Amino acid sequence: MLKLCQKISRHFKTSSRLLNNIEVFVDGTPVSVAPDYSILQACQKAGVVVPHFCFHERLAVSGNCRMCIVEIEKMPKVMTACSMPVSPGMRINTKSEKTYNARGGVMEFLLANHPLDCPICDQGGECDLQDQSALYGYKIGRFMEYKRAVEDKNYGPLVATVMTRCIHCTRCIRFYEEVAGIPILGTTGRGRETEVGTYVEKMVHSELSGNLVDLCPVGALTNAPYAFTARPWELRNVMSIDPTDSITPSIEISCKGGEVKRVLPRLHEEVNEEWIHDRSRHAFDGLKRQRLNACLKKKADGSYEELTWKDALEVLAEEVSKTSGNDMVGIIGEFMDVEAVVAFRDLMYKLGCENIDAKKNGVKLSPDFRNNYLMNSRISGIEEADLLLVIGANLRLDSPVINARVRKATVLNGLNVGLIGTDDYLTYDHTHLGTSTSALTDLLKGTHPFAKTLEKAKFPMILVGANVLKREDGEAVNSVIQEIAKKYNVIKPESNWNGYNVLHNEVGTVAALEVGITSEYDPKAKPKFMYLLGADNFKPDEIPDDAFVVYQGTHGDEGASRANLILPGASYVEKSGSYVNTDGRVSLGKKAIPAPGQAKADWEILRALSEVLGQTLPYDNLQEIRYRIAELAPHLIKYDYVEPYSLSWHTVPVKGEVNKTVISDFIDNFYMTDAISRASPTMAKCSEAFNPARNTNFVPEVPIR
């Protein structure tokens, strides 16, 4: 039924583009609007505020809170503005006495059973019901009956519930069905006995579940880890981005003193719309645990001694002087900013080392042409495509926000999705082509049944998971994929369409490719000196036992445990830097809190080290290093802008043969994928509650297909 309504809505929206705008009057002011607008949309265009609780522009219209009622001339009763379409010459009155009395009556009903616990409610200060009751409600209520009480639900470790406050706006229900694609919430009972819940007692599981708190207009659903730690008026908000997600969603970091209290999403239509996943929202508490806040040197007995910065840099300089550039290797971590990558590149090149980002399991991509390693169609291009072929990526785990956009495109635009790889619990209809690379060769030959569908597509899009390109046969697999893209005209210069895309997992990898660094490493080589720049996710056999290892980063994780010398770096909330996301968009991250102890910004550490080594880098502040970035890649100083992509092929010849092996899931635990999330107590609770490998009683909800 939902899909039918959305198809009808899409039909009317398409046909309305062919019609002229109509004129309506809002409080006597003429406004020209499209004929498919609702009264609420017409009022918004006129700049008139209409109160509402249930309406949300990204969710289907329900019209059940009744707060948006307005008076319409020649109509005997007031009407809900969110569900009533406009008509030519309609006269809407939002400030009449009739409208005022009707809204007051609705508010009186809403508050009839609502607990007046605002002083202890965690939503106090940013509660829609609290604000609107002050503006539109009566000063006193006439209901003297006892207020109802509803049992709280267990929605998991991220969402706290006080269901007595629920006003049944059904935003949470519609979000789970329409955006998350999981039919887990609904209503039971009628009238006074209505309750929102999960029918059978179970936890609410979705990688996007934290967005429920933002949608709830009252204090029924609140941020459990943040609850009662601060009030909104005590917080200092910093507008930044999240580099732990490869799409770098826009976020708002709320701080109190020198501590991050919560992370909220910001609106960015081309990247994350207004959603972020749970790891982006809640893993920040890992920044307080297992942090490196002092320079440390490993002693002969395996223990560590603390050093000053001066002593640590001198020890490092001594080790570097013993080693030639050919015996050095540098590995760039997953969350590195462009400034740190450029400083690292410049320093290593000055030392005669070109083995940078040299991971044996690194992405096998050439940095020569940007359209070989970026998401050329952009994230928003998913809604323009009519066919999407996903290769080697389980989008629900790799990028839940992109997965939500794919679901939106399948429901609203009829996007046809094909998948090669694991398809567990995806939230939309799709065609599973197989789990091994043999499906690729079948597509190239044209023998696979999906080949005919691919041929008919007008705007086909291929999305390659970066993990596929980390296989031993990664270059050969990529070459086959590009041959498939050529055969089925995935790039259409005449239509300004480039449908070949790579979905990266790490912004550090994209930054390295943008400044010309590639992964070239001889597996048989045994370097004597390794510099790990925030690198924690690596295989043990990548580091020889006798190598001197320097780890510069934030956490005592895998990198620090192997290091001979540890230099504490600042995290993404403790420094200002620029990051490149998977579609080549450069975004600025802002410093929100000071770094702990001796920790410094990564590029500053490298600049100080270069001076001790006698190879001084030619920049002393953030502005000067960005001048250096502009010399290497001018587009990297154009913030929140995507440089136009190439519409011609720059392919890499096949190296070796494709192994006929299974493309398995590369993420076994969504809640613990990096050093920050592994140190997070909140992510540990989520892993315990939602990971079937740990919680044998947990069964993931079957998505809507």
Side-chain angles (χ1 to χ4, degrees), residues 445-472:
K445 295 175 183 176
T447 58
H448 197 285
F450 195 75
K452 293 182 179 179
T453 306
L454 196 55
E455 282 179 356
K456 296 176 183 177
K458 295 181 179 178
F459 294 100
M461 182 174 176
I462 294 178
L463 187 59
V464 185
N467 287 313
V468 174
L469 308 178
K470 294 180 180 180
R471 293 164 43 119
E472 292 182 0

Side-chain angles (χ1 to χ4, degrees), residues 533-547:
L533 184 64
D536 284 293
N537 295 347
F538 54 83
K539 296 179 181 178
D541 62 348
E542 292 179 41
I543 302 178
D545 295 333
D546 57 347

Side-chain angles (χ1 to χ4, degrees), residues 247-505:
I247 69 171
T248 60
S250 297
I251 60 172
E252 179 181 304
I253 304 172
S254 299
C255 314
K256 183 181 179 182
E259 186 177 344
V260 177
K261 289 297 182 181
R262 67 178 178 182
V263 171
L264 299 175
R266 285 191 296 127
L267 181 67
H268 197 309
E269 292 289 353
E270 295 186 7
V271 180
N272 59 304
E273 296 182 308
E274 57 185 85
W275 319 121
I276 56 173
H277 60 64
D278 292 343
R279 204 172 61 241
S280 288
R281 186 185 294 267
H282 293 291
F284 67 86
D285 61 347
L287 297 172
K288 298 187 293 185
R289 274 82 177 180
Q290 300 181 20
R291 277 303 297 270
L292 301 174
N293 57 12
C295 301
L296 301 173
K297 179 185 177 184
K298 183 181 284 187
K299 297 191 290 188
D301 61 357
S303 62
Y304 287 89
E305 63 174 327
E306 188 172 330
L307 302 177
T308 64
W309 270 112
K310 181 176 181 295
D311 294 338
L313 294 178
E314 288 177 353
V315 170
L316 180 51
E318 183 180 350
E319 287 296 329
V320 170
S321 64
K322 299 176 185 176
T323 314
S324 68
N326 293 331
D327 292 327
M328 296 181 184
V329 167
I331 299 181
I332 296 172
E334 51 266 38
F335 302 148
M336 280 299 107
D337 52 289
V338 178
E339 290 82 0
V341 171
V342 168
F344 191 58
R345 171 191 181 277
D346 289 348
L347 178 59
M348 297 301 277
Y349 283 180
K350 278 180 175 287
L351 298 176
C353 172
E354 296 186 1
N355 297 323
I356 308 174
D357 196 21
K359 290 187 283 186
K360 293 180 184 177
N361 63 331
V363 177
K364 297 172 177 62
L365 288 168
S366 168
D368 295 336
F369 300 99
R370 298 181 78 230
N371 63 335
N372 276 340
Y373 60 81
L374 289 179
M375 194 166 178
N376 298 296
S377 306
R378 307 184 189 181
I379 298 167
S380 57
I382 293 171
E383 298 180 32
E384 300 174 19
D386 58 353
L387 182 143
L388 172 63
L389 175 60
V390 182
I391 301 173
N394 185 342
L395 292 180
R396 185 169 173 185
L397 299 180
D398 290 345
S399 186
V401 178
I402 288 183
N403 190 65
R405 197 180 282 261
V406 172
R407 170 171 169 75
K408 174 184 174 183
T410 59
V411 174
L412 296 182
N413 304 335
L415 176 66
N416 192 348
V417 180
L419 174 67
I420 299 176
T422 307
D423 71 335
D424 292 345
Y425 304 109
L426 289 184
T427 57
Y428 39 81
D429 289 326
H430 63 279
T431 303
H432 191 210
L433 280 63
T435 56
S436 76
T437 53
S438 59
L440 292 173
T441 54
D442 291 343
L443 275 178
L444 186 57
K445 295 175 183 176
T447 58
H448 197 285
F450 195 75
K452 293 182 179 179
T453 306
L454 196 55
E455 282 179 356
K456 296 176 183 177
K458 295 181 179 178
F459 294 100
M461 182 174 176
I462 294 178
L463 187 59
V464 185
N467 287 313
V468 174
L469 308 178
K470 294 180 180 180
R471 293 164 43 119
E472 292 182 0
D473 60 343
E475 287 184 322
V477 169
N478 190 33
S479 182
V480 172
I481 294 171
Q482 290 189 345
E483 290 299 323
I484 293 171
K486 275 186 178 180
K487 178 175 181 178
Y488 295 102
N489 297 320
V490 170
I491 294 182
K492 299 176 182 289
E494 69 281 0
S495 302
N496 196 33
W497 177 257
N498 186 339
Y500 174 78
N501 303 278
V502 177
L503 176 62
H504 288 276
N505 308 102

Side-chain angles (χ1 to χ4, degrees), residues 633-676:
H635 63 278
L636 293 182
I637 60 169
K638 299 177 183 178
Y639 304 118
D640 199 21
Y641 171 77
V642 179
E643 192 76 9
Y645 48 77
S646 172
L647 293 172
S648 58
W649 279 107
H650 304 287
T651 56
V652 179
V654 178
K655 292 189 178 180
E657 295 184 358
V658 175
N659 300 329
K660 305 294 184 181
T661 53
V662 172
I663 301 174
S664 58
D665 251 346
F666 294 90
I667 296 179
D668 59 350
N669 186 354
F670 169 78
Y671 297 100
M672 290 189 172
T673 60
D674 52 73
I676 297 175

